[in-house]
Amino acid sequence: MKILVPVKQIASLDDQFEMRDDGRDVDEDYLEKDLNEFDHFSVEEALLIKEAAGDGVEVVVAIIGDDDSDDALRTALAKGADRGIRVWDDSLAEADGTSVARILAKVVEREKPDMVFTGAQSSDFGSATTGMALAGLLGWPHAAVVSNLEYKPGASSAKLRRELEGGLEEIMTIRCPAVLSIQLGINQPRYASLRGIKQAKQKPVDELSLDDLGLGASDVEPAFHVRKMYAPERGKAELITGSAAEQAARLAQIIKEIRGM
Amino acid sequence: MIPDHNPQDITRVLFDNFPLWMLVTFYLVAFGAIGVFLYGVWAQIRKYRRGTRSGAWSPFFPRFGTMFARVLDHKTIKRRARAAGAAHQFIFYGFTVLFIGTSIITLDHDITGPITGLHFWHGAFYLFFSLAMDLAGLSLIGGLIYMMYRRGWMKLPRLDYTRPDRSPDEPDYDRSGYRREDWAFLWALILIGVTGYLLEAVRLVWLQNDPAVWDYRWWSPVGALLAHLMKGIGIVPEGAADIRMVLWWTHGILALTFIALVPFTKVKHIFTAMGSLMARDPEAKRRMPTADVEAEKIGFSLLTDFSDKFLVNVDACTKCGRCHEACPANASGYPLSPRDLVLSLRELANDKLSHASMPEGPIEVIGTEVNMIRPETLWSCRTCAACVEICPVGIEHLPMIVQMRRALIEDGNFDTMLQPTLKSLQKSGNSLGENKRKRPRWTQKLDFEIKDARTEPVDVLWYVGDYASFDPRSQKVTITFARILKAAGINFGILYEDEQTAGNDVRRIGEEGLFQALAEANIELLNSCQFKTIVTTDPHTFNTIRNEYPEFGGNYAIEHASSMLERLIREGSIPQPANLDYRVTFHDPCHLGRINGCTEAPRQVLQSMGVDLVELGRTRDNSFCCGAGGGRIWLPDPPELKKPAELRAAEAAEIPGLDVLVVNCPKCLNMLEDGVKGTGNEGNFRVLELTELLAEAMGLDGAQQKGLDEAPETAAVSA
């Protein structure tokens, strides 16, 4: 019995930053790298299933990223995942959700997990495509934004709850194996102490290249290309105080200013 | 002295008129009692040795010497309880003299006499012995009577066994067994003393016709007085002989039972307190225990993780309640009393480690079952070290709590509110969830540049600290301190965005791996800079760099801002400040005053401003924590409980005409401002940092702080 949890190392932004010279991304210096917020929950969900079952469940975390992303992988391992897989090739620098899904599909072929849990989305780009694309490539059922899960290892189906728009929730049964995209708040993720993260260095991590997975650079071509990234100009807000007449006068003044009158 | 008698005849009868069976019985009982005593001692030592080895008793002789001096001078027992300390001293010296005296009889009668024929217990020696024993008895009984008065009538909160960490319906709530033991102990000693005197008196009455006894009766004055009283009520020698037999056995059985019970009752504190005092670590309040973060496990989760020293510690407690009274968590209604923590551990150890064989399986310490320590108890601690400071027998509660917290952190068993803080510390080296780049942003509000100590040599490297860098209220103090340093012509610099928190609270919350990583990174950075001394406004940073970094190879001369300001004023670098017409009081930060002994510098700075300093009820080493320490500033206080800072603000409010509550720590500032608001004292007095008051006296206020006051409005607009 095996659960595969693909995770991502995301970049978070300071409120003051500069753009890269080519204007297509933020200058690396202003980014702080971390394990994707959503993935804390997908890893936790897998660990809870493993712990409830006692023995016999293996949790494998997979990441597509360079040496740098080892930190994120080790955080997941420190929480209690059994081993890791890291896939990297320099051609993946601009990989999008679909390219990542293609790689993950090969990882699934290799690992033959019984379930795949992804985060509902990444907290930097937020495309929410990886899980969906992976399910499509595998021909497995997929459920997005899963907020509650009842699953016994090895069962042929799982019961889950998903959040819909407008405060609605949907309860569904899904055939397994399946790909589930896990929503924030499904559980209370545990803390990985720094000591645990350091000790997780001793856990096995398979480092794979595209070759190892039988893929070539052309298989992982991104479907889109970022042309420009920029910070839109900020709107202004002003709290207008005073009597009704004063407020009206100020309002009129602002309207005139905007209209250039 | 002994004019008419052969000195050999001046002694005391022991077993006269005893038939053989009685003599045999006595020796059987006596050997039995000593046997039970020795077995008990062995069983206790076996219990302690079931903990890990601490090596805390070596080097033996210097440690023994220090302990011996403390036992003789009773300094630790007299602190904040002079009368009880004096009474204990009376009991101690009385008991010791009586014990030595009785041992001398045994030595003369059962050892040197039978073996070498040497008898010395007679003549002048006997008379002095007799006088000393009589006075010792008075000392013992006098001390015991005061202790009874204290326990029975003074109704001291510290002697109240009410537990904050259990509700009355829980099975391990009840401490009345201890109360009964306290009283049994006092009564047993009093009865032994009183029957001793009566026995002495009745012997005098019985032997009144023997001048070798009666003529020397005033060498045992209490006995003689009682003997005259007995004669006065008509007791004759024959009657006295019968009473003597009854009293002799009563006194003897009482005393032997007492000896037999020593290792099993409160009486064992005679030994455990000495053992605990001897093992005392003078650094325990400053430096948390070192740990190998590479090891298989970290922290204490099992009883067998505790060291032999801690197991002796918990057995040394005499429930004097000083920690119970000093603890800010207990005072505010949190489920922690250092005393009850210690007693729970003691009972758990007695229950699990005292038997011939160990129980099967691990003995968990943290949990909700009987005598276990609850996680919420451990999280209530503010690591202010008030308990360690005042414990008269050298119990080190704080390192035990931190060790147990380490196990909780590793296990993820903590308030979920703490997780973002710890993650922020891992990622950005600060506890406020801020980006590293923001750390030096406060410097933009200055009208001068602070040197970058990473790139150029400075005299003074200013370690700013987390709250001082990010907290908007503390930033004002930080800016003020920068301006004072500039005005005093100091060549100083900061570490800009490379500074990370020094880790005092990280270590005390129990995240040892993270603390060590921070310490190593900070030390590497500091070692790459050129400076002579370090200064910080934060007592937590001060403590950790001063006392905890040396363990990781960081040895620096560091000053707290208050000491530096005092020095600069004394040396004239800061011109004599103007007099301020304020009535102020001073709140000693735990990590500065109690933990590092820096209590006078801030007061001298206040003195230089000519303010009217009125001390709080609890000052210096007895300061009452604001509640922020040990990572508690990161955890929310439940609204139904009083905050320690509110208790402190109320204490300050009792000072009539108070203008300013002066603090000297970024966290105290944050907490006590809230405390003053929470107690409705906002309009009555202000909370100011020492630095701010000095800036006012130096005439440095307002004008040059560009844009500082506009800052909140700017923030509102962009939000």
Side-chain angles (χ1 to χ4, degrees):
Chain A
M1 166 62 205
K2 191 188 286 181
I3 303 174
L4 178 73
V5 187
V7 299
K8 181 182 178 188
Q9 169 152 285
I10 54 94
S12 62
L13 209 51
D14 186 11
D15 58 1
Q16 285 185 359
F17 57 86
E18 284 171 22
M19 300 305 293
R20 214 162 61 187
D21 289 342
D22 67 1
R24 292 177 51 225
D25 207 340
V26 175
D27 188 332
E28 187 97 2
D29 285 357
Y30 295 89
L31 297 175
E32 277 192 10
K33 303 291 182 65
D34 205 347
L35 177 62
N36 178 29
E37 182 65 13
F38 291 81
D39 297 343
H40 284 281
F41 293 85
S42 53
V43 169
E44 182 69 26
E45 199 58 25
L47 293 176
L48 290 174
I49 289 166
K50 171 185 159 85
E51 284 162 3
D55 280 345
V57 177
E58 191 184 24
V59 175
V60 181
V61 252
I63 197 162
I64 318 299
D66 58 10
D67 298 356
D68 238 19
S69 65
D70 264 346
D71 280 351
L73 191 63
R74 275 217 302 275
T75 304
L77 290 171
K79 287 164 179 264
D82 298 288
R83 59 191 175 84
I85 295 171
R86 184 167 69 80
V87 185
W88 187 242
D89 186 281
D90 288 339
S91 64
L92 292 170
E94 300 199 342
D96 60 10
T98 348
S99 357
V100 168
R102 284 206 189 93
I103 301 167
L104 289 174
K106 292 289 177 188
V107 173
V108 169
E109 243 174 57
R110 198 182 141 102
E111 290 289 330
K112 300 187 174 50
D114 299 86
M115 282 296 240
V116 177
F117 295 169
T118 69
Q121 62 185 68
S122 62
S123 41
D124 51 0
F125 284 90
S127 314
T129 50
T130 310
M132 220 181 297
L134 175 61
L137 288 168
L138 294 171
W140 287 12
H142 174 251
V145 210
V146 175
S147 59
N148 186 281
L149 175 65
E150 288 170 43
Y151 170 69
K152 288 243 160 21
S156 60
S157 70
K159 205 173 136 191
L160 58 85
R161 217 161 59 216
R162 323 194 305 111
E163 283 176 12
L164 304 181
E165 292 299 315
L168 279 178
E169 287 200 345
E170 180 179 65
I171 295 175
M172 56 194 261
T173 308
I174 195 166
R175 185 164 40 80
C176 301
V179 179
L180 306 182
S181 304
I182 306 289
Q183 171 66 324
L184 301 177
I186 187 175
N187 51 41
Q188 177 59 57
R190 66 198 66 191
Y191 173 68
S193 75
L194 202 63
R195 175 176 170 273
I197 295 173
K198 279 188 178 166
Q199 292 196 333
K201 277 183 191 165
Q202 283 147 20
K203 290 198 174 177
V205 174
D206 288 332
E207 294 185 2
L208 304 177
S209 64
L210 288 181
D211 251 11
D212 297 330
L213 292 169
L215 290 167
S218 59
D219 297 319
V220 293
E221 281 272 309
F224 59 76
H225 177 77
V226 178
R227 295 176 58 187
K228 188 183 172 192
M229 196 184 278
Y230 70 102
E233 231 174 88
R234 268 201 183 161
K236 274 202 261 178
E238 181 185 327
L239 182 64
I240 304 172
T241 55
S243 67
E246 285 163 0
Q247 289 187 31
R250 175 70 190 130
L251 197 58
Q253 192 190 355
I254 292 171
I255 292 170
K256 282 181 186 164
E257 275 170 20
I258 291 173
R259 295 190 61 189
M261 287 157 71
Chain B
M1 190 184 280
I2 307 166
D4 302 325
H5 300 101
N6 179 353
Q8 300 290 337
D9 298 334
I10 313 296
T11 183
R12 184 197 289 174
V13 295
L14 282 177
F15 298 113
D16 293 39
N17 286 6
F18 272 44
L20 183 65
W21 67 265
M22 245 190 212
L23 207 61
V24 171
T25 310
F26 174 75
Y27 273 96
L28 282 177
V29 172
F31 279 115
I34 293 169
V36 173
F37 170 83
L38 290 176
Y39 166 76
V41 170
W42 174 76
Q44 297 298 324
I45 292 175
R46 181 182 61 189
K47 177 175 78 182
Y48 305 140
R49 289 178 63 86
R50 284 172 171 169
T52 61
R53 290 289 168 287
S54 63
W57 288 274
S58 60
F60 186 85
F61 289 103
R63 284 187 169 273
F64 186 86
T66 313
M67 177 277 286
F68 199 64
R70 283 301 78 74
V71 169
L72 292 186
D73 65 20
H74 268 54
K75 260 189 196 156
T76 60
I77 310 183
K78 286 177 177 167
R79 277 182 83 189
R80 289 181 221 157
R82 288 200 61 81
H88 190 277
Q89 207 162 16
F90 276 110
I91 298 172
F92 168 77
Y93 278 105
F95 185 89
T96 307
V97 170
L98 288 167
F99 179 76
I100 293 172
T102 311
S103 308
I104 285 173
I105 306 176
T106 314
L107 185 68
D108 178 279
H109 190 269
D110 297 318
I111 300 169
T112 60
I115 295 170
T116 65
L118 172 70
H119 285 282
F120 51 85
W121 189 52
H122 52 64
F125 175 78
Y126 167 72
L127 291 178
F128 278 115
F129 165 92
S130 187
L131 181 64
M133 296 287 271
D134 243 44
L135 296 178
L138 275 185
S139 167
L140 174 73
I141 292 173
L144 289 167
I145 288 174
Y146 172 78
M147 291 306 199
M148 285 184 158
Y149 167 68
R150 189 177 161 84
R151 282 206 177 269
W153 285 273
M154 287 174 76
K155 303 274 177 241
L156 297 172
R158 64 168 67 159
L159 295 179
D160 183 356
Y161 279 120
T162 312
R163 297 184 63 172
D165 59 339
R166 293 285 192 276
S167 62
D169 52 348
E170 292 183 71
D172 49 352
Y173 174 80
D174 188 27
R175 293 263 192 252
S176 54
Y178 281 120
R179 194 185 294 279
R180 283 193 291 277
E181 188 189 28
D182 294 334
W183 281 100
F185 179 36
L186 292 173
W187 274 114
L189 275 178
I190 282 222
L191 284 177
I192 292 171
V194 169
T195 52
Y197 277 131
L198 290 175
L199 178 60
E200 187 173 53
V202 86
R203 187 183 63 240
L204 287 172
V205 177
W206 167 41
L207 300 174
Q208 59 184 276
N209 297 321
D210 180 353
V213 173
W214 187 249
D215 291 0
Y216 300 95
R217 64 189 181 285
W218 291 108
W219 286 96
S220 44
V222 180
L225 210 62
L226 290 172
H228 280 282
L229 275 174
M230 286 178 178
K231 280 175 70 173
I233 60 168
I235 297 177
V236 295
E238 296 72 32
D242 293 342
I243 303 173
R244 173 246 181 184
M245 201 55 103
V246 175
L247 277 173
W248 195 100
W249 279 101
T250 312
H251 181 73
I253 296 291
L254 269 175
L256 289 171
T257 312
F258 185 86
I259 290 171
L261 291 180
V262 166
F264 307 98
T265 58
K266 184 179 180 175
V267 191
K268 75 173 137 192
H269 84 270
I270 296 173
F271 299 106
T272 52
M274 289 198 283
S276 178
L277 272 175
M278 208 175 136
R280 185 176 219 171
D281 173 9
E283 298 294 310
K285 58 184 176 177
R286 310 188 178 104
R287 196 187 57 207
M288 291 307 111
T290 172
D292 177 8
V293 292
E294 312 283 314
E296 189 89 343
K297 99 172 259 189
I298 191 162
F300 294 175
S301 62
L302 306 178
L303 194 55
T304 42
D305 294 332
F306 283 70
S307 67
D308 45 11
K309 165 179 161 165
F310 288 138
L311 292 175
V312 170
N313 265 184
V314 300
D315 248 8
C317 173
T318 57
K319 295 97 70 188
C320 73
R322 285 170 225 218
C323 58
H324 183 73
E325 192 177 38
C327 177
N330 180 43
S332 319
Y334 285 79
L336 163 67
S337 157
R339 175 199 66 194
D340 289 305
L341 179 112
V342 160
L343 292 181
S344 291
L345 288 171
R346 169 196 289 191
E347 288 181 26
L348 199 63
N350 282 343
D351 193 28
K352 307 283 187 190
L353 304 181
S354 292
H355 306 289
S357 60
M358 295 278 283
E360 272 181 39
I363 311 162
E364 298 286 343
V365 173
I366 307 169
T368 51
E369 285 164 44
V370 169
N371 290 327
M372 283 187 175
I373 309 299
R374 300 190 174 168
E376 62 266 30
T377 295
L378 298 169
W379 295 123
S380 296
C381 175
R382 280 117 216 284
T383 68
C384 74
C387 49
V388 178
E389 175 73 17
I390 197 57
C391 180
V393 295
I395 298 172
E396 290 160 13
H397 323 66
L398 183 48
M400 287 191 250
I401 290 174
V402 169
Q403 288 280 23
M404 286 188 273
R405 280 182 169 186
R406 286 176 182 166
L408 286 176
I409 288 280
E410 211 52 33
D411 202 30
N413 188 349
F414 53 82
D415 195 312
T416 50
M417 299 286 285
L418 192 56
Q419 216 181 102
T421 308
L422 292 176
K423 281 190 194 161
S424 160
L425 283 157
Q426 279 189 12
K427 281 287 151 198
S428 330
N430 71 70
S431 58
L432 292 104
E434 299 284 7
N435 192 294
K436 276 182 181 189
R437 290 181 173 273
K438 271 195 183 171
R439 199 171 184 99
R441 206 161 284 174
W442 59 271
T443 57
Q444 293 172 2
K445 291 171 186 159
L446 289 168
D447 52 7
F448 59 91
E449 284 251 322
I450 296 184
K451 284 190 180 171
D452 186 342
R454 295 170 300 182
T455 55
E456 57 186 315
V458 290
D459 290 342
V460 177
L461 186 145
W462 176 9
Y463 209 101
V464 185
D466 266 21
Y467 270 75
S469 296
F470 293 108
D471 176 61
R473 175 66 185 91
S474 291
Q475 275 181 359
K476 293 188 182 182
V477 180
T478 308
I479 289 163
T480 307
F481 187 64
R483 290 166 57 222
I484 293 179
L485 290 183
K486 168 96 170 158
I490 306 294
N491 171 18
F492 70 102
I494 62 172
L495 296 168
Y496 284 86
E497 41 280 285
D498 281 344
E499 183 188 290
Q500 302 189 75
T501 183
N504 182 80
D505 305 278
V506 178
R507 188 168 222 196
R508 280 151 187 77
I509 204 87
E511 225 305 20
E512 182 68 11
L514 180 53
F515 166 72
Q516 293 194 9
L518 286 166
E520 281 159 14
N522 288 332
I523 288 168
E524 195 186 324
L525 175 63
L526 286 169
N527 286 348
S528 71
C529 301
Q530 280 187 52
F531 60 91
K532 291 180 186 142
T533 61
I534 301 177
V535 71
T536 179
T537 58
D538 174 25
H540 299 253
T541 300
F542 172 66
N543 178 71
T544 284
I545 295 182
R546 185 191 202 193
N547 301 308
E548 295 188 311
Y549 277 17
E551 183 190 331
F552 301 94
N555 293 289
Y556 312 105
I558 182 165
E559 255 182 326
H560 183 253
S562 58
S563 311
M564 185 175 187
L565 293 174
E566 184 276 320
R567 187 169 52 77
L568 294 177
I569 296 169
R570 183 161 36 82
E571 291 170 352
S573 308
I574 294 178
Q576 177 60 39
N579 276 1
L580 296 177
D581 186 23
Y582 292 139
R583 169 169 281 199
V584 307
T585 191
F586 181 69
H587 166 79
D588 288 272
C590 305
H591 274 85
L592 191 64
R594 171 165 47 245
I595 295 176
N596 281 290
C598 304
T599 56
E600 300 320 301
R603 288 180 170 78
Q604 279 157 8
V605 174
L606 286 172
Q607 225 165 36
S608 71
M609 300 179 232
V611 293
D612 173 21
L613 172 65
V614 183
E615 292 287 355
L616 284 158
R618 293 173 284 191
T619 67
R620 296 185 168 88
D621 59 80
N622 192 23
S623 185
F624 186 76
C625 176
C626 71
R632 272 307 308 206
I633 199 164
W634 303 326
L635 292 166
D637 285 310
E640 68 274 16
L641 293 179
K642 275 237 172 311
K643 296 177 171 66
E646 291 173 351
L647 298 179
R648 191 59 161 168
E651 194 179 340
E654 285 170 19
I655 298 173
L658 183 70
D659 297 308
V660 185
L661 167 57
V662 182
V663 295
N664 204 6
C665 162
K667 289 184 180 113
C668 295
L669 180 63
N670 189 303
M671 298 303 264
L672 285 171
E673 277 203 338
D674 277 355
V676 167
K677 283 177 200 154
T679 50
N681 280 303
E682 215 177 346
N684 300 338
F685 56 89
R686 292 184 292 162
V687 181
L688 287 178
E689 238 281 343
L690 183 70
T691 313
E692 294 178 299
L693 211 57
L694 180 63
E696 190 180 332
M698 288 169 70
L700 280 179
D701 46 333
Q704 291 150 297
Q705 262 172 259
K706 80 171 176 193
L708 191 63
D709 294 328
E710 297 88 69
E713 286 161 47
T714 330
V717 170
S718 63

